[in-house]
Amino acid sequence: MRAKRMSMAGYFAHEDPRTGKNPVWKVVKICVQAKRPWTKAPAAENLAQGIDTPENIHSALMESPSHRKNILDPRFNHVGVGCYGEICVELFGGY
């Protein structure tokens, strides 16, 4: 849904240009905190655009220090990956 929204709205950014907010943070945090409501849930997002295969997307994200940090962060034990058109999104949550 996140990749589709960006693609349909014609932007590629962590924040929606109309609201200045990332619409998925609240959902990710609610989902994770439902399992452990007493914790403050960490969350992160990686975005990729215009890369041709899942293998190349993963390689490109792993070559970027900030994206690699999210992928390898031991605090994250939940991940969601979705692509729409040329946009792919990785969402991370943990508790």
Side-chain angles (χ1 to χ4, degrees):
M1 293 300 294
R2 173 86 170 112
K4 183 177 181 177
R5 283 187 194 136
M6 280 192 286
S7 181
M8 300 300 282
Y11 75 93
F12 179 75
H14 292 287
E15 291 87 24
D16 183 319
R18 296 168 298 170
T19 65
K21 296 180 180 180
N22 186 320
V24 299
W25 292 135
K26 187 175 181 179
V27 175
V28 170
K29 289 182 179 188
I30 287 171
C31 290
V32 173
Q33 286 180 323
K35 293 189 177 208
R36 293 195 177 188
W38 60 88
T39 64
K40 187 171 184 180
E45 175 182 65
N46 287 345
L47 303 177
Q49 182 178 32
I51 305 171
D52 56 353
T53 67
E55 293 83 6
N56 289 340
I57 291 167
H58 182 70
S59 292
L61 291 171
M62 288 298 284
E63 289 173 12
S64 162
S66 60
H67 294 103
R68 181 183 181 88
K69 182 180 175 187
N70 286 339
I71 293 167
L72 298 178
D73 191 324
R75 297 175 305 151
F76 300 135
N77 53 10
H78 292 76
V79 64
V81 178
C83 298
Y84 185 87
E86 291 193 358
I87 297 176
C88 290
V89 178
E90 294 179 331
L91 297 175
F92 302 92
Y95 55 81

